[in-house]
Amino acid sequence: MNTRFTRFCAIGAGLALAFTVAACGGSDSDAAAPSADGVTRMTLSIPPVGDSLPVYVALENGFFADNGLEIELAPAANGATTINALISGSTDLALVSYPSLIKAVDSKLPVAIAAMGIDGTDEYKAGIYVPEGSAVKTPADLIGKKVATPSLGSVGDIYFRGVLKDENLDYTKVNFVELPQANMATALKAGDVDAAFITEPTLSSAVKTLDLRAIGYQNGPQGVFATSTKTIDSNPDAIRGFRTALAQAVEVIEVDPHGVASQIMPTYTDMDAETARNMNLPQFVTEWNADDVQSVIDLMVEVGIIKQSFSADNLFQPL
């Protein structure tokens, strides 16, 4: 099995960017600042899936409050909308895919990493899937075929382009098509696509109705909590507190990941305890690894998503 992404990037849906002109101009709104009671109130945009588990654990255990923060949750949007919201100040923090953040920084937009997020692993099982009876056995077999990805130029197709490039295959001969995660299993079953990049929670749902086989898993840096550079510069203590609270939550999760998920997810999402206990979980990351993120940036250059590489350290301030 090819796992070229041993150093690489969805957030479940693999977010794309299509920035508006207005986003480039920024906003006059104030970045989050401590109130008279010393508490910083911030809005956080996350999807209601296992990737967001550390946030829910931090809320449940009062870790944000312990670090001087009051966090209000907001629904997750697509990459462009989320980045725009961070820049305008309508959202202070958001869980986004690494490609979304990298493309934003490449476009000179004022966003950066607020805190570490998640890495893909073989246990998480995000990757390229085909029906069990498919004649496709290797990545090479998908040359000339149709592969579904939640969003072009994001996690799914960037990963697989890298896999093909490493095998000296022409990734431009794969027909990548955009398809919502919720429609992946139906499209595979109907033969509308030959393969699909599927992540949790869609994967757990899909395997209930269709026998799937993985062609390769996407491992490494995947999702990250982003914010505006204005927020970091104006209130570094809040960002530091956010990082600390998430790190405390990850310590709790690491004791019994699936047990914690089964207890916490039903409280904060529509997910039932059994689903939460059995779903695949990513690796929750607390430490900055510039080398791993640099490999994502460089791969995005190699496959033509961005034109020029830059230092991964441009994304992260140690504080």
PDB file of all heavy atoms in Angstrom, residues 1-4 127-131 134-142 159-160 163-164 167 194-196 212-218:
ATOM      1  N   MET A   1       0.838  -1.195   0.000  1.00  0.00           N
ATOM      2  CA  MET A   1       0.000   0.000   0.000  1.00  0.00           C
ATOM      3  C   MET A   1       0.876   1.250   0.000  1.00  0.00           C
ATOM      4  O   MET A   1       1.808   1.365   0.789  1.00  0.00           O
ATOM      5  CB  MET A   1      -0.894   0.006   1.251  1.00  0.00           C
ATOM      6  CG  MET A   1      -1.764   1.260   1.373  1.00  0.00           C
ATOM      7  SD  MET A   1      -2.858   1.165   2.793  1.00  0.00           S
ATOM      8  CE  MET A   1      -3.954  -0.130   2.246  1.00  0.00           C
ATOM      9  N   ASN A   2       0.577   2.176  -0.891  1.00  0.00           N
ATOM     10  CA  ASN A   2       1.365   3.399  -0.986  1.00  0.00           C
ATOM     11  C   ASN A   2       0.884   4.407   0.038  1.00  0.00           C
ATOM     12  O   ASN A   2      -0.283   4.709   0.135  1.00  0.00           O
ATOM     13  CB  ASN A   2       1.216   3.993  -2.386  1.00  0.00           C
ATOM     14  CG  ASN A   2       2.174   5.139  -2.609  1.00  0.00           C
ATOM     15  OD1 ASN A   2       2.133   6.135  -1.918  1.00  0.00           O
ATOM     16  ND2 ASN A   2       3.035   4.982  -3.592  1.00  0.00           N
ATOM     17  N   THR A   3       1.794   4.924   0.839  1.00  0.00           N
ATOM     18  CA  THR A   3       1.425   5.928   1.841  1.00  0.00           C
ATOM     19  C   THR A   3       2.353   7.116   1.727  1.00  0.00           C
ATOM     20  O   THR A   3       3.039   7.493   2.661  1.00  0.00           O
ATOM     21  CB  THR A   3       1.490   5.346   3.261  1.00  0.00           C
ATOM     22  OG1 THR A   3       2.787   4.773   3.465  1.00  0.00           O
ATOM     23  CG2 THR A   3       0.457   4.256   3.461  1.00  0.00           C
ATOM     24  N   ARG A   4       2.371   7.756   0.569  1.00  0.00           N
ATOM     25  CA  ARG A   4       3.250   8.899   0.308  1.00  0.00           C
ATOM     26  C   ARG A   4       3.033  10.003   1.323  1.00  0.00           C
ATOM     27  O   ARG A   4       3.933  10.770   1.617  1.00  0.00           O
ATOM     28  CB  ARG A   4       2.955   9.424  -1.105  1.00  0.00           C
ATOM     29  CG  ARG A   4       4.080  10.249  -1.727  1.00  0.00           C
ATOM     30  CD  ARG A   4       4.031  11.709  -1.424  1.00  0.00           C
ATOM     31  NE  ARG A   4       4.974  12.409  -2.280  1.00  0.00           N
ATOM     32  CZ  ARG A   4       5.420  13.617  -2.017  1.00  0.00           C
ATOM     33  NH1 ARG A   4       5.043  14.241  -0.939  1.00  0.00           N
ATOM     34  NH2 ARG A   4       6.259  14.203  -2.841  1.00  0.00           N
ATOM     35  N   GLY A 127      -8.312   8.439   3.348  1.00  0.00           N
ATOM     36  CA  GLY A 127      -7.531   8.101   2.173  1.00  0.00           C
ATOM     37  C   GLY A 127      -8.385   7.845   0.942  1.00  0.00           C
ATOM     38  O   GLY A 127      -9.569   8.175   0.900  1.00  0.00           O
ATOM     39  N   ILE A 128      -7.752   7.269  -0.072  1.00  0.00           N
ATOM     40  CA  ILE A 128      -8.416   6.955  -1.330  1.00  0.00           C
ATOM     41  C   ILE A 128      -9.040   5.561  -1.232  1.00  0.00           C
ATOM     42  O   ILE A 128      -8.346   4.580  -0.930  1.00  0.00           O
ATOM     43  CB  ILE A 128      -7.417   6.988  -2.508  1.00  0.00           C
ATOM     44  CG1 ILE A 128      -6.805   8.383  -2.645  1.00  0.00           C
ATOM     45  CG2 ILE A 128      -8.103   6.562  -3.801  1.00  0.00           C
ATOM     46  CD1 ILE A 128      -7.761   9.450  -3.123  1.00  0.00           C
ATOM     47  N   TYR A 129     -10.343   5.490  -1.493  1.00  0.00           N
ATOM     48  CA  TYR A 129     -11.073   4.227  -1.380  1.00  0.00           C
ATOM     49  C   TYR A 129     -11.728   3.851  -2.698  1.00  0.00           C
ATOM     50  O   TYR A 129     -12.143   4.717  -3.483  1.00  0.00           O
ATOM     51  CB  TYR A 129     -12.153   4.324  -0.301  1.00  0.00           C
ATOM     52  CG  TYR A 129     -11.597   4.277   1.101  1.00  0.00           C
ATOM     53  CD1 TYR A 129     -11.119   5.435   1.718  1.00  0.00           C
ATOM     54  CD2 TYR A 129     -11.536   3.085   1.812  1.00  0.00           C
ATOM     55  CE1 TYR A 129     -10.596   5.393   2.999  1.00  0.00           C
ATOM     56  CE2 TYR A 129     -11.014   3.033   3.091  1.00  0.00           C
ATOM     57  CZ  TYR A 129     -10.550   4.194   3.686  1.00  0.00           C
ATOM     58  OH  TYR A 129     -10.024   4.151   4.950  1.00  0.00           O
ATOM     59  N   VAL A 130     -11.829   2.534  -2.920  1.00  0.00           N
ATOM     60  CA  VAL A 130     -12.557   1.980  -4.062  1.00  0.00           C
ATOM     61  C   VAL A 130     -13.492   0.900  -3.524  1.00  0.00           C
ATOM     62  O   VAL A 130     -13.280   0.374  -2.424  1.00  0.00           O
ATOM     63  CB  VAL A 130     -11.602   1.368  -5.112  1.00  0.00           C
ATOM     64  CG1 VAL A 130     -10.678   2.434  -5.684  1.00  0.00           C
ATOM     65  CG2 VAL A 130     -10.795   0.220  -4.502  1.00  0.00           C
ATOM     66  N   PRO A 131     -14.535   0.535  -4.278  1.00  0.00           N
ATOM     67  CA  PRO A 131     -15.362  -0.605  -3.861  1.00  0.00           C
ATOM     68  C   PRO A 131     -14.517  -1.871  -3.789  1.00  0.00           C
ATOM     69  O   PRO A 131     -13.577  -2.050  -4.565  1.00  0.00           O
ATOM     70  CB  PRO A 131     -16.412  -0.699  -4.978  1.00  0.00           C
ATOM     71  CG  PRO A 131     -16.475   0.684  -5.558  1.00  0.00           C
ATOM     72  CD  PRO A 131     -15.075   1.207  -5.486  1.00  0.00           C
ATOM     73  N   SER A 134     -13.615  -3.681  -6.992  1.00  0.00           N
ATOM     74  CA  SER A 134     -13.009  -2.898  -8.066  1.00  0.00           C
ATOM     75  C   SER A 134     -11.745  -3.563  -8.606  1.00  0.00           C
ATOM     76  O   SER A 134     -10.989  -4.212  -7.868  1.00  0.00           O
ATOM     77  CB  SER A 134     -12.661  -1.502  -7.552  1.00  0.00           C
ATOM     78  OG  SER A 134     -11.875  -0.791  -8.495  1.00  0.00           O
ATOM     79  N   ALA A 135     -11.504  -3.362  -9.890  1.00  0.00           N
ATOM     80  CA  ALA A 135     -10.272  -3.869 -10.511  1.00  0.00           C
ATOM     81  C   ALA A 135      -9.074  -3.006 -10.149  1.00  0.00           C
ATOM     82  O   ALA A 135      -7.927  -3.392 -10.402  1.00  0.00           O
ATOM     83  CB  ALA A 135     -10.440  -3.913 -12.030  1.00  0.00           C
ATOM     84  N   VAL A 136      -9.317  -1.856  -9.558  1.00  0.00           N
ATOM     85  CA  VAL A 136      -8.235  -0.966  -9.151  1.00  0.00           C
ATOM     86  C   VAL A 136      -7.527  -1.564  -7.937  1.00  0.00           C
ATOM     87  O   VAL A 136      -8.145  -1.807  -6.896  1.00  0.00           O
ATOM     88  CB  VAL A 136      -8.777   0.439  -8.808  1.00  0.00           C
ATOM     89  CG1 VAL A 136      -7.667   1.310  -8.223  1.00  0.00           C
ATOM     90  CG2 VAL A 136      -9.386   1.081 -10.043  1.00  0.00           C
ATOM     91  N   LYS A 137      -6.226  -1.793  -8.074  1.00  0.00           N
ATOM     92  CA  LYS A 137      -5.442  -2.391  -6.991  1.00  0.00           C
ATOM     93  C   LYS A 137      -4.347  -1.463  -6.483  1.00  0.00           C
ATOM     94  O   LYS A 137      -3.935  -1.564  -5.331  1.00  0.00           O
ATOM     95  CB  LYS A 137      -4.804  -3.707  -7.468  1.00  0.00           C
ATOM     96  CG  LYS A 137      -5.790  -4.729  -8.017  1.00  0.00           C
ATOM     97  CD  LYS A 137      -6.790  -5.173  -6.970  1.00  0.00           C
ATOM     98  CE  LYS A 137      -7.745  -6.227  -7.536  1.00  0.00           C
ATOM     99  NZ  LYS A 137      -8.803  -6.624  -6.568  1.00  0.00           N
ATOM    100  N   THR A 138      -3.854  -0.595  -7.364  1.00  0.00           N
ATOM    101  CA  THR A 138      -2.747   0.286  -7.007  1.00  0.00           C
ATOM    102  C   THR A 138      -3.051   1.699  -7.480  1.00  0.00           C
ATOM    103  O   THR A 138      -3.953   1.909  -8.311  1.00  0.00           O
ATOM    104  CB  THR A 138      -1.438  -0.184  -7.667  1.00  0.00           C
ATOM    105  OG1 THR A 138      -1.536   0.022  -9.090  1.00  0.00           O
ATOM    106  CG2 THR A 138      -1.161  -1.653  -7.375  1.00  0.00           C
ATOM    107  N   PRO A 139      -2.306   2.697  -7.007  1.00  0.00           N
ATOM    108  CA  PRO A 139      -2.509   4.061  -7.495  1.00  0.00           C
ATOM    109  C   PRO A 139      -2.394   4.162  -9.013  1.00  0.00           C
ATOM    110  O   PRO A 139      -3.133   4.911  -9.647  1.00  0.00           O
ATOM    111  CB  PRO A 139      -1.398   4.835  -6.796  1.00  0.00           C
ATOM    112  CG  PRO A 139      -1.180   4.108  -5.517  1.00  0.00           C
ATOM    113  CD  PRO A 139      -1.338   2.654  -5.886  1.00  0.00           C
ATOM    114  N   ALA A 140      -1.484   3.388  -9.613  1.00  0.00           N
ATOM    115  CA  ALA A 140      -1.296   3.446 -11.069  1.00  0.00           C
ATOM    116  C   ALA A 140      -2.559   3.071 -11.824  1.00  0.00           C
ATOM    117  O   ALA A 140      -2.807   3.553 -12.934  1.00  0.00           O
ATOM    118  CB  ALA A 140      -0.145   2.524 -11.483  1.00  0.00           C
ATOM    119  N   ASP A 141      -3.382   2.231 -11.221  1.00  0.00           N
ATOM    120  CA  ASP A 141      -4.608   1.785 -11.883  1.00  0.00           C
ATOM    121  C   ASP A 141      -5.639   2.899 -12.011  1.00  0.00           C
ATOM    122  O   ASP A 141      -6.633   2.744 -12.729  1.00  0.00           O
ATOM    123  CB  ASP A 141      -5.231   0.617 -11.118  1.00  0.00           C
ATOM    124  CG  ASP A 141      -4.364  -0.635 -11.145  1.00  0.00           C
ATOM    125  OD1 ASP A 141      -3.606  -0.796 -12.115  1.00  0.00           O
ATOM    126  OD2 ASP A 141      -4.444  -1.426 -10.189  1.00  0.00           O
ATOM    127  N   LEU A 142      -5.416   4.018 -11.321  1.00  0.00           N
ATOM    128  CA  LEU A 142      -6.369   5.126 -11.380  1.00  0.00           C
ATOM    129  C   LEU A 142      -5.998   6.170 -12.442  1.00  0.00           C
ATOM    130  O   LEU A 142      -6.707   7.164 -12.596  1.00  0.00           O
ATOM    131  CB  LEU A 142      -6.500   5.790 -10.007  1.00  0.00           C
ATOM    132  CG  LEU A 142      -7.321   4.965  -9.003  1.00  0.00           C
ATOM    133  CD1 LEU A 142      -7.218   5.554  -7.606  1.00  0.00           C
ATOM    134  CD2 LEU A 142      -8.776   4.876  -9.439  1.00  0.00           C
ATOM    135  N   TYR A 159      -2.879  15.116  -1.918  1.00  0.00           N
ATOM    136  CA  TYR A 159      -2.281  13.869  -1.432  1.00  0.00           C
ATOM    137  C   TYR A 159      -2.052  12.880  -2.576  1.00  0.00           C
ATOM    138  O   TYR A 159      -0.953  12.363  -2.767  1.00  0.00           O
ATOM    139  CB  TYR A 159      -3.182  13.264  -0.359  1.00  0.00           C
ATOM    140  CG  TYR A 159      -3.214  11.757  -0.300  1.00  0.00           C
ATOM    141  CD1 TYR A 159      -2.071  11.029  -0.008  1.00  0.00           C
ATOM    142  CD2 TYR A 159      -4.392  11.065  -0.539  1.00  0.00           C
ATOM    143  CE1 TYR A 159      -2.095   9.644   0.040  1.00  0.00           C
ATOM    144  CE2 TYR A 159      -4.430   9.681  -0.495  1.00  0.00           C
ATOM    145  CZ  TYR A 159      -3.280   8.980  -0.201  1.00  0.00           C
ATOM    146  OH  TYR A 159      -3.314   7.616  -0.161  1.00  0.00           O
ATOM    147  N   PHE A 160      -3.094  12.620  -3.357  1.00  0.00           N
ATOM    148  CA  PHE A 160      -2.976  11.574  -4.368  1.00  0.00           C
ATOM    149  C   PHE A 160      -2.090  11.996  -5.528  1.00  0.00           C
ATOM    150  O   PHE A 160      -1.403  11.161  -6.127  1.00  0.00           O
ATOM    151  CB  PHE A 160      -4.362  11.160  -4.858  1.00  0.00           C
ATOM    152  CG  PHE A 160      -4.355   9.829  -5.541  1.00  0.00           C
ATOM    153  CD1 PHE A 160      -3.908   8.706  -4.870  1.00  0.00           C
ATOM    154  CD2 PHE A 160      -4.771   9.690  -6.851  1.00  0.00           C
ATOM    155  CE1 PHE A 160      -3.880   7.465  -5.490  1.00  0.00           C
ATOM    156  CE2 PHE A 160      -4.751   8.454  -7.484  1.00  0.00           C
ATOM    157  CZ  PHE A 160      -4.301   7.344  -6.803  1.00  0.00           C
ATOM    158  N   VAL A 163       1.279  11.051  -4.392  1.00  0.00           N
ATOM    159  CA  VAL A 163       1.486   9.607  -4.494  1.00  0.00           C
ATOM    160  C   VAL A 163       1.885   9.232  -5.921  1.00  0.00           C
ATOM    161  O   VAL A 163       2.858   8.502  -6.148  1.00  0.00           O
ATOM    162  CB  VAL A 163       0.205   8.850  -4.080  1.00  0.00           C
ATOM    163  CG1 VAL A 163       0.329   7.358  -4.424  1.00  0.00           C
ATOM    164  CG2 VAL A 163      -0.067   9.018  -2.594  1.00  0.00           C
ATOM    165  N   LEU A 164       1.138   9.736  -6.892  1.00  0.00           N
ATOM    166  CA  LEU A 164       1.412   9.404  -8.298  1.00  0.00           C
ATOM    167  C   LEU A 164       2.748   9.974  -8.750  1.00  0.00           C
ATOM    168  O   LEU A 164       3.509   9.321  -9.476  1.00  0.00           O
ATOM    169  CB  LEU A 164       0.280   9.930  -9.178  1.00  0.00           C
ATOM    170  CG  LEU A 164      -1.094   9.306  -8.927  1.00  0.00           C
ATOM    171  CD1 LEU A 164      -2.157  10.011  -9.753  1.00  0.00           C
ATOM    172  CD2 LEU A 164      -1.086   7.812  -9.224  1.00  0.00           C
ATOM    173  N   GLU A 167       5.652   7.947  -7.872  1.00  0.00           N
ATOM    174  CA  GLU A 167       5.773   6.731  -8.674  1.00  0.00           C
ATOM    175  C   GLU A 167       6.034   7.054 -10.146  1.00  0.00           C
ATOM    176  O   GLU A 167       5.896   6.186 -11.015  1.00  0.00           O
ATOM    177  CB  GLU A 167       4.506   5.888  -8.523  1.00  0.00           C
ATOM    178  CG  GLU A 167       4.303   5.387  -7.097  1.00  0.00           C
ATOM    179  CD  GLU A 167       3.205   4.357  -6.982  1.00  0.00           C
ATOM    180  OE1 GLU A 167       2.632   3.962  -8.014  1.00  0.00           O
ATOM    181  OE2 GLU A 167       2.941   3.920  -5.846  1.00  0.00           O
ATOM    182  N   ASP A 194     -14.617   6.253  -9.875  1.00  0.00           N
ATOM    183  CA  ASP A 194     -13.862   5.015  -9.691  1.00  0.00           C
ATOM    184  C   ASP A 194     -13.247   4.906  -8.303  1.00  0.00           C
ATOM    185  O   ASP A 194     -12.983   3.804  -7.817  1.00  0.00           O
ATOM    186  CB  ASP A 194     -12.754   4.931 -10.745  1.00  0.00           C
ATOM    187  CG  ASP A 194     -13.309   4.931 -12.151  1.00  0.00           C
ATOM    188  OD1 ASP A 194     -13.917   3.913 -12.539  1.00  0.00           O
ATOM    189  OD2 ASP A 194     -13.150   5.952 -12.857  1.00  0.00           O
ATOM    190  N   ALA A 195     -13.009   6.052  -7.680  1.00  0.00           N
ATOM    191  CA  ALA A 195     -12.407   6.086  -6.352  1.00  0.00           C
ATOM    192  C   ALA A 195     -12.793   7.398  -5.690  1.00  0.00           C
ATOM    193  O   ALA A 195     -13.258   8.331  -6.350  1.00  0.00           O
ATOM    194  CB  ALA A 195     -10.885   5.962  -6.443  1.00  0.00           C
ATOM    195  N   ALA A 196     -12.596   7.470  -4.382  1.00  0.00           N
ATOM    196  CA  ALA A 196     -12.958   8.687  -3.658  1.00  0.00           C
ATOM    197  C   ALA A 196     -12.069   8.869  -2.441  1.00  0.00           C
ATOM    198  O   ALA A 196     -11.667   7.881  -1.806  1.00  0.00           O
ATOM    199  CB  ALA A 196     -14.421   8.644  -3.237  1.00  0.00           C
ATOM    200  N   LEU A 212     -15.632  -1.288   1.225  1.00  0.00           N
ATOM    201  CA  LEU A 212     -14.613  -0.419   0.656  1.00  0.00           C
ATOM    202  C   LEU A 212     -13.225  -0.976   0.906  1.00  0.00           C
ATOM    203  O   LEU A 212     -12.981  -1.675   1.892  1.00  0.00           O
ATOM    204  CB  LEU A 212     -14.721   0.985   1.253  1.00  0.00           C
ATOM    205  CG  LEU A 212     -16.005   1.759   0.973  1.00  0.00           C
ATOM    206  CD1 LEU A 212     -16.002   3.074   1.747  1.00  0.00           C
ATOM    207  CD2 LEU A 212     -16.163   2.010  -0.516  1.00  0.00           C
ATOM    208  N   ARG A 213     -12.318  -0.629   0.017  1.00  0.00           N
ATOM    209  CA  ARG A 213     -10.915  -1.024   0.154  1.00  0.00           C
ATOM    210  C   ARG A 213     -10.041   0.198  -0.058  1.00  0.00           C
ATOM    211  O   ARG A 213     -10.233   0.957  -1.008  1.00  0.00           O
ATOM    212  CB  ARG A 213     -10.586  -2.122  -0.870  1.00  0.00           C
ATOM    213  CG  ARG A 213      -9.124  -2.507  -0.958  1.00  0.00           C
ATOM    214  CD  ARG A 213      -8.953  -3.822  -1.725  1.00  0.00           C
ATOM    215  NE  ARG A 213      -9.759  -3.901  -2.923  1.00  0.00           N
ATOM    216  CZ  ARG A 213      -9.392  -3.370  -4.103  1.00  0.00           C
ATOM    217  NH1 ARG A 213      -8.242  -2.716  -4.203  1.00  0.00           N
ATOM    218  NH2 ARG A 213     -10.174  -3.494  -5.164  1.00  0.00           N
ATOM    219  N   ALA A 214      -9.082   0.396   0.832  1.00  0.00           N
ATOM    220  CA  ALA A 214      -8.192   1.553   0.737  1.00  0.00           C
ATOM    221  C   ALA A 214      -7.064   1.301  -0.248  1.00  0.00           C
ATOM    222  O   ALA A 214      -6.443   0.241  -0.241  1.00  0.00           O
ATOM    223  CB  ALA A 214      -7.614   1.900   2.095  1.00  0.00           C
ATOM    224  N   ILE A 215      -6.800   2.284  -1.095  1.00  0.00           N
ATOM    225  CA  ILE A 215      -5.639   2.260  -1.983  1.00  0.00           C
ATOM    226  C   ILE A 215      -4.438   2.889  -1.285  1.00  0.00           C
ATOM    227  O   ILE A 215      -3.296   2.537  -1.523  1.00  0.00           O
ATOM    228  CB  ILE A 215      -5.946   3.008  -3.291  1.00  0.00           C
ATOM    229  CG1 ILE A 215      -7.073   2.301  -4.044  1.00  0.00           C
ATOM    230  CG2 ILE A 215      -4.709   3.100  -4.187  1.00  0.00           C
ATOM    231  CD1 ILE A 215      -6.771   0.872  -4.409  1.00  0.00           C
ATOM    232  N   GLY A 216      -4.680   3.807  -0.404  1.00  0.00           N
ATOM    233  CA  GLY A 216      -3.611   4.447   0.355  1.00  0.00           C
ATOM    234  C   GLY A 216      -4.182   5.402   1.376  1.00  0.00           C
ATOM    235  O   GLY A 216      -5.244   5.988   1.160  1.00  0.00           O
ATOM    236  N   TYR A 217      -3.501   5.530   2.514  1.00  0.00           N
ATOM    237  CA  TYR A 217      -3.924   6.450   3.566  1.00  0.00           C
ATOM    238  C   TYR A 217      -3.108   7.735   3.507  1.00  0.00           C
ATOM    239  O   TYR A 217      -1.929   7.722   3.149  1.00  0.00           O
ATOM    240  CB  TYR A 217      -3.745   5.825   4.948  1.00  0.00           C
ATOM    241  CG  TYR A 217      -4.586   4.610   5.206  1.00  0.00           C
ATOM    242  CD1 TYR A 217      -4.036   3.480   5.797  1.00  0.00           C
ATOM    243  CD2 TYR A 217      -5.935   4.584   4.865  1.00  0.00           C
ATOM    244  CE1 TYR A 217      -4.803   2.358   6.043  1.00  0.00           C
ATOM    245  CE2 TYR A 217      -6.704   3.469   5.104  1.00  0.00           C
ATOM    246  CZ  TYR A 217      -6.143   2.352   5.698  1.00  0.00           C
ATOM    247  OH  TYR A 217      -6.906   1.247   5.938  1.00  0.00           O
ATOM    248  N   GLN A 218      -3.742   8.811   3.881  1.00  0.00           N
ATOM    249  CA  GLN A 218      -3.057  10.108   3.961  1.00  0.00           C
ATOM    250  C   GLN A 218      -2.640  10.335   5.401  1.00  0.00           C
ATOM    251  O   GLN A 218      -3.481  10.454   6.290  1.00  0.00           O
ATOM    252  CB  GLN A 218      -4.001  11.215   3.478  1.00  0.00           C
ATOM    253  CG  GLN A 218      -3.466  12.615   3.670  1.00  0.00           C
ATOM    254  CD  GLN A 218      -3.929  13.224   4.980  1.00  0.00           C
ATOM    255  OE1 GLN A 218      -5.098  13.253   5.292  1.00  0.00           O
ATOM    256  NE2 GLN A 218      -2.982  13.712   5.752  1.00  0.00           N
TER     257      GLN A 218
END
